[in-house]
């Protein structure tokens, strides 16, 4: 067995494993990402909800005693600065901004006046939406210190001494961000390691089981194929329809059946051929030996033999030459049929007419033996669809046999009957009949196994008839009783006009 074949299963398992590990890693990464995203959102939403009215509180508490604006309209920075410092000392994560009416930043202690990147104003839309919903919805607003980022915030509107604007408080300010990032990093590290280790562990167990179950049928099939390959021709996949790869399992079983079937067929054809050669050579040898004997006698005793004896010996030689040539012809015909070189050319023809011709042809031989040869039902014209010359050959062999095995004063009848879509052809004689135990073998004389029942010297007449029947997809039956006679019956498809 090649290396390719033996490593088939491990290769497949490796691929399955790789796919599985990639899947586990992808699942782990998505799990961590999703958890992180929602954990962060959850924490921000909670913080925003808790601190929603902090800006409102600033206005209510701080702006009632002192205005954040000076008389000249500028921001009262000392007052507002103190206020912001107080608040941010208590809650370091927040950053307070005083906004004007259009969202422009009027003042904040956290903003460095030198910082060019810092925003000069923030978008009003999120602030208005926040105020409208009383801070009940999770909403993000601009972060003035990082203009590209969006942060949770609290906001409230003020109207003091003719000045309108907003108190805008970033709830997750720089400080919050630092702490949060730090914690989140640690949290992710722990979660990542924990989740990955656990998922890998469970996945490994489930994966192993899954791969084991998935490849169970495949392993079974591979084992069976290997067994078959190693010579166990009976190896088949049990219950192929229950296999996960039923089509594969069934195909293997079918393939194995047809291989074994073909092998049996080839073996039996081979056996038949060997028996045929052995028997035929025996059959050829007998007449040849007789011929040789008589020819030698004629040569040696040419002068001492009487004229009658010479004639008799010559007749014997003639008969044996006939026998030999018959046998050789039959053998040639049979081997052509056996090798499937004969392709029947089917056409409609009148079997009645053919029968009339054959009866006329054999009439002389029959009369010489004082045998009545007749056609039953000669009026009705029966048409069949078959190969005319092959059918003629089969009928000839059957009539020849019938005359040969019938005693003088006997009768040979050929009858034709329409039976449904077929025409039944029957050759009946009143001859010697065939012993019951020989009947199963008469069509394949040379295939006979039991040598004790086998007579030598037979021709191939019925074996040829049987091959012709096979070519017409029909069968021939024999009904025979010793000393009473025999009937050979077969059907051919009738030709419907
Ligand atoms: P053969 O040349 O010996 O007749 P066949 O194949 O034609 O060879 O026939 C095989 C054998 O079948 C014959 O030897 C004979 O024993 C038997 N057989 C065939 N036809 C008849 C028949 N009409 N009556 C009796 N025996 C027959």
């Amino acid at each position: 067995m090649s290396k390719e074949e033996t490593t088939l299963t491990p290769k497949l398992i490796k691929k399955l494993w790789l796919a599985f590990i990639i899947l586990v890693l992808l699942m782990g990464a998505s799990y961590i990402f999703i958890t992180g995203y929602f954990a962060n959102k959850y924490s921000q939403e909670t913080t925003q909800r808790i601190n929603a009215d902090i800006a409102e509180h600033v206005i209510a508490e701080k702006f009632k005693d002192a205005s954040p604006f000076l008389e000249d309209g500028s921001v009262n920075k000392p007052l507002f600065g103190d206020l912001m410092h107080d608040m941010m000392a208590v809650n370091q994560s927040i950053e307070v901004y005083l906004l004007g009416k259009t969202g422009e930043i009027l003042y904040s202690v956290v903003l460095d006046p030198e910082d060019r990147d810092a925003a000069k104003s923030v978008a009003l839309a999120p602030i208005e939406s926040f105020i409208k919903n009383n801070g009940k919805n999770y909403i993000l607003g601009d972060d003035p210190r990082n203009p590209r980022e969006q942060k949770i915030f609290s906001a409230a509107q003020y109207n003091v001494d003719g000045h309108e604007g907003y108190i805008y408080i970033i709830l997750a300010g720089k400080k919050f961000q630092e702490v949060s990032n730090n914690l989140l990093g640690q949290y992710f590290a722990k979660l990542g390691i924990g989740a990955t280790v656990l998922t890998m562990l469970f996945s490994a167990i489930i994966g192993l089981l899954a791969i084991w179950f998935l490849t169970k049928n495949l392993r079974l099939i591979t084992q069976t194929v290997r067994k078959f390959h190693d010579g166990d021709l009976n190896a088949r996949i049990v219950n192929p329809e229950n296999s996960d790869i039923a089509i594969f399992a069934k195909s293997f079983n079918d393939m194995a059946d047809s291989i074994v079937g073909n092998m049996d067929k080839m073996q039996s054809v081979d056996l038949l051929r060997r028996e045929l050669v052995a028997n035929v050579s025996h059959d050829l040898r007998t007449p040849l030996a007789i011929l040789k004997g008589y020819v030698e006698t004629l040569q040696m005793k040419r002068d001492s033999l009487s004229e009658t004896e010479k004639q008799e010996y010559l007749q014997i030689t003639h008969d044996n030459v006939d026998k030999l040539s018959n046998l050789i012809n039959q053998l040639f015909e049979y081997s052509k049929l056996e090798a499937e070189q004969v392709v029947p050319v089917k056409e409609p023809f009148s079997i009645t007419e053919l029968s009339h011709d054959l009866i006329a042809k054999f009439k002389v031989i029959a009369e010489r033996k004082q045998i009545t040869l007749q056609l039953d039902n000669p009026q009705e014209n029966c048409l069949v669809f078959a190969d005319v010359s092959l059918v003629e050959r089969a009928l000839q062999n059957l009539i020849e046999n019938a005359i040969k095995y019938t005693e003088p004063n006997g009768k040979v009848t050929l009858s034709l009957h329409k039976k449904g879509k077929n025409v039944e052809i029957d050759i009946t004689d009143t001859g010697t009949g065939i012993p019951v135990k020989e009947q199963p073998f008469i069509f394949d004389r040379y295939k006979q196994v039991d040598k004790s029942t086998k007579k030598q010297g037979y021709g191939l007449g019925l074996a040829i008839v049987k091959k012709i029947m096979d070519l017409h997809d029909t069968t021939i039956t024999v009904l025979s009783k010793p000393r009473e006679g025999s009937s050979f019956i077969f059907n051919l498809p009738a030709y419907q006009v």
Side-chain angles (χ1 to χ4, degrees):
M1 188 162 290
S2 74
K3 196 148 184 280
E4 187 89 0
E5 281 168 286
T6 45
T7 54
L8 177 78
T9 314
K11 234 187 195 174
L12 184 76
I13 290 178
K14 260 188 221 158
K15 279 186 192 164
L16 284 172
W17 256 111
L18 194 71
F20 206 80
I21 288 170
I22 293 173
L23 190 75
V24 166
L25 289 178
L26 278 176
M27 271 170 60
S30 345
Y31 172 74
I32 293 169
F33 176 78
I34 292 169
T35 324
Y37 174 78
F38 281 106
N40 189 31
K41 201 170 170 218
Y42 166 78
S43 128
Q44 291 211 0
E45 242 185 289
T46 317
T47 313
Q48 190 172 43
R49 196 63 82 78
I50 289 172
N51 298 299
D53 45 6
I54 186 169
E56 191 72 54
H57 187 74
V58 170
I59 295 166
E61 287 294 312
K62 310 289 179 187
F63 287 13
K64 69 173 191 235
D65 304 326
S67 166
F69 296 99
L70 295 173
E71 279 179 14
D72 62 359
S74 64
V75 178
N76 185 349
K77 287 184 182 172
L79 171 92
F80 204 69
D82 282 353
L83 172 101
M84 286 181 183
H85 280 303
D86 284 355
M87 285 183 72
M88 283 153 58
V90 175
N91 184 351
Q92 294 194 5
S93 67
I94 63 170
E95 291 163 5
V96 187
Y97 298 89
L98 180 70
L99 302 183
K101 207 173 164 186
T102 54
E104 74 277 16
I105 300 168
L106 298 179
Y107 184 61
S108 174
V109 283
V110 290
L111 278 186
D112 181 357
E114 303 295 309
D115 186 356
R116 287 171 188 278
D117 291 339
K120 299 280 177 277
S121 66
V122 292
L124 272 187
I127 298 174
E128 279 165 357
S129 166
F130 180 87
I131 294 170
K132 206 168 132 205
N133 294 309
N134 294 324
K136 293 217 168 65
N137 284 2
Y138 172 68
I139 187 160
L140 297 176
D142 290 346
D143 177 7
R145 293 173 95 183
N146 300 294
R148 277 178 298 276
E149 281 185 35
Q150 296 272 297
K151 294 275 174 66
I152 45 168
F153 65 91
S154 167
Q157 199 170 18
Y158 64 80
N159 190 346
V160 219
D161 307 333
H163 294 281
E164 271 182 52
Y166 304 91
I167 288 289
Y168 183 61
I169 303 173
I170 291 292
L171 297 171
K174 209 170 185 175
K175 198 89 185 166
F176 179 93
Q177 207 67 52
E178 280 164 14
V179 176
S180 164
N181 283 351
N182 196 6
L183 283 178
L184 209 65
Q186 286 178 18
Y187 170 76
F188 269 151
K190 280 184 205 154
L191 183 76
I193 294 167
T196 313
V197 168
L198 267 182
T199 331
M200 290 287 271
L201 191 75
F202 285 122
S203 313
I205 296 168
I206 294 167
L208 260 179
L209 284 174
I211 289 168
W212 190 83
F213 274 113
L214 269 174
T215 53
K216 198 172 145 212
N217 283 301
L218 196 65
R219 280 201 308 277
L220 189 80
I221 291 175
T222 317
Q223 276 168 12
T224 319
V225 172
R226 234 172 252 174
K227 262 197 209 163
F228 190 81
H229 176 270
D230 293 344
D232 179 0
L233 297 180
N234 293 323
R236 295 288 184 283
I237 295 152
V238 188
N239 295 333
E241 58 285 344
N242 294 344
S243 172
D244 293 334
I245 23 184
I247 181 129
F248 187 32
K250 271 195 224 147
S251 305
F252 169 76
N253 280 2
D254 290 350
M255 188 195 71
D257 285 346
S258 73
I259 289 176
V260 173
N262 284 342
M263 280 170 69
D264 286 350
K265 210 170 151 190
M266 275 159 65
Q267 271 171 357
S268 72
V269 168
D270 192 49
L271 187 74
L272 175 76
R273 242 176 234 144
R274 269 187 275 149
E275 285 187 358
L276 186 79
V277 170
N279 287 304
V280 167
S281 38
H282 180 273
D283 289 354
L284 291 172
R285 233 180 292 140
T286 319
L288 264 178
I290 299 172
L291 262 176
K292 199 173 168 227
Y294 280 94
V295 171
E296 276 173 5
T297 317
L298 278 168
Q299 273 178 338
M300 284 191 298
K301 300 185 178 170
R302 198 183 308 162
D303 303 326
S304 60
L305 285 174
S306 70
E307 201 51 39
T308 345
E309 279 172 326
K310 276 186 195 163
Q311 276 309 318
E312 191 192 332
Y313 288 8
L314 277 173
Q315 186 58 47
I316 294 173
T317 11
H318 184 266
D319 289 350
N320 278 286
V321 168
D322 263 0
K323 238 187 207 172
L324 266 179
S325 96
N326 260 343
L327 191 58
I328 290 168
N329 282 342
Q330 278 186 342
L331 195 62
F332 182 62
E333 218 173 316
Y334 181 77
S335 52
K336 268 206 312 194
L337 285 163
E338 169 74 29
E340 292 173 8
Q341 279 178 6
V342 181
V343 181
V345 184
K346 293 181 188 171
E347 56 187 339
F349 69 89
S350 163
I351 186 104
T352 314
E353 264 177 44
L354 179 70
S355 303
H356 273 299
D357 293 350
L358 285 170
I359 297 276
K361 188 173 158 187
F362 283 98
K363 201 101 193 163
V364 186
I365 310 172
E367 273 168 4
R368 219 183 281 155
K369 257 189 107 178
Q370 289 154 21
I371 290 170
T372 319
L373 177 62
Q374 64 180 33
L375 179 66
D376 193 14
N377 188 18
Q379 270 71 46
E380 193 182 7
N381 187 21
C382 300
L383 292 178
V384 292
F385 188 75
D387 182 312
V388 62
S389 55
L390 288 177
V391 172
E392 183 178 3
R393 188 81 190 95
L395 282 174
Q396 255 180 24
N397 286 3
L398 293 168
I399 298 170
E400 248 170 22
N401 277 352
I403 297 173
K404 189 155 77 175
Y405 298 105
T406 302
E407 304 295 325
N409 300 319
K411 203 162 118 184
V412 174
T413 315
L414 171 59
S415 9
L416 307 169
H417 292 288
K418 274 191 184 156
K419 287 222 165 144
K421 289 184 172 174
N422 292 323
V423 174
E424 189 185 83
I425 299 130
D426 180 333
I427 297 102
T428 300
D429 62 57
T430 55
T432 54
I434 306 159
V436 179
K437 65 175 184 186
E438 272 195 32
Q439 285 177 16
F441 308 112
I442 54 167
F443 291 102
D444 30 29
R445 271 281 140 191
Y446 289 103
K447 205 172 157 184
Q448 196 177 338
V449 251
D450 184 1
K451 298 263 191 270
S452 62
T453 59
K454 187 170 169 185
K455 294 186 221 156
Q456 295 293 348
Y458 291 123
L460 284 158
L462 287 185
I464 291 172
V465 171
K466 190 174 171 238
K467 285 276 168 210
I468 293 173
M469 296 299 127
D470 290 347
L471 285 176
H472 285 86
D473 301 314
T474 184
T475 48
I476 182 159
T477 328
V478 59
L479 302 173
S480 181
K481 262 193 180 172
R483 287 183 304 281
E484 282 185 23
S486 320
S487 284
F488 287 85
I489 306 153
F490 66 96
N491 284 289
L492 285 177
Y495 182 71
Q496 323 280 354
V497 201

